[in-house]
Amino acid sequence: MTIRRDIAELADKGLLKRVHGGAVTTSTLLAEPLFSVKSQMDIGLKDAIARAAVEYVSPGDVIAIGGGTTAYVFAQHLLESENSSGITILTNSIPVAELVQAMENKDAEVIVTGGVLTRSNSLVGPIADKVISSLRVNTLFLGTHSVSMPRGFLTPNSLESATDAALINIADRRVVLADHTKWDNTSLSMFASFESIDVLITDDGLDPKYAEQAKDLVKDLVLAAQDETDKERE
């Protein structure tokens, strides 16, 4: 109980963020939590964003899905929908690849980039970038560690940033998935500007001033609404 009170006090001061089972640092410029930790954060927000993102996939599409937990939740919702019929998924995310492989219905194919494994279970680096550059996809879905107004989208890992940029270069349409808490973070390396993104899907908890700014910076801004189950879980 003493530890819980200490965590609550530090969270109130903005010195850390409470998550299921503990806490993570708010000093996020260079640090990135493990995939297992991030997967317990803001679950309802990710579900709402994922449901909205599924509408940007049609049966038979060739798509790319980046690393991170928001992209993973999107993959879960997509593979449970009829929109995933006959699709091909290029990914640098080990969890996404394992998710497709574990499907009982093998109607979706997966291509894994290869590369160096990060803390977020993403494959990055020159090997991944070379594989990516030889391909082309209809739509790309990327998560982000933080959003900087009006600069763009950032990540703590410079190798991951380069791989995300490589994915952006091969996509006909580029979709970023970022819940409203990403505007409270900061990071080291920018992988995309607002001008290079076609669709930004966030949640309706985004500060209205940020929403107004984003509308002027990105071609299509989507504010996904949580359902009552999501809100109760949050």
Side-chain angles (χ1 to χ4, degrees), residues 220-232:
D220 187 10
L221 175 67
V222 178
L223 299 177
Q226 294 186 77
D227 61 28
E228 291 305 315
T229 302
D230 289 339
K231 290 179 181 178
E232 289 174 7

Side-chain angles (χ1 to χ4, degrees), residues 10 12 15 33 38 44 57 71 111 120 126 130-131 135 137 141 148 158-159 161 166 169 174 177 184 202 214 222-223:
L10 290 168
D12 289 341
L15 299 175
K38 290 170 66 178
V57 181
I111 301 170
S120 60
K130 185 174 182 179
V131 171
L135 302 170
V137 299
F141 298 88
S148 174
S158 59
L159 286 177
S161 178
N169 288 335
R174 297 156 292 272
L177 316 174
D184 297 328
T202 184
V222 178
L223 299 177

Side-chain angles (χ1 to χ4, degrees), residues 13-106:
K13 294 178 179 179
L15 299 175
L16 52 74
K17 180 173 181 177
R18 299 181 72 177
V19 298
H20 179 73
V24 294
T25 177
T26 55
S27 178
T28 54
L29 184 63
L30 294 173
E32 182 173 21
L34 292 170
F35 185 93
S36 58
V37 173
K38 290 170 66 178
S39 64
Q40 300 297 325
M41 300 166 64
D42 307 311
I43 298 171
L45 303 179
K46 294 171 184 176
D47 278 333
I49 290 168
R51 286 193 295 268
V54 167
E55 301 304 315
Y56 288 84
V57 181
S58 298
D61 275 354
V62 178
I63 68 170
I65 302 177
T69 54
T70 306
Y72 176 77
V73 174
F74 158 68
Q76 289 178 310
H77 282 269
L78 174 61
L79 294 171
E80 292 170 356
S81 76
E82 295 181 356
N83 296 27
S84 65
S85 176
I87 65 171
T88 299
I89 299 173
L90 168 67
T91 188
N92 68 322
S93 166
I94 294 295
V96 169
E98 291 177 339
L99 187 66
V100 179
Q101 189 63 24
M103 287 176 57
E104 293 183 8
N105 178 6
K106 299 294 184 182

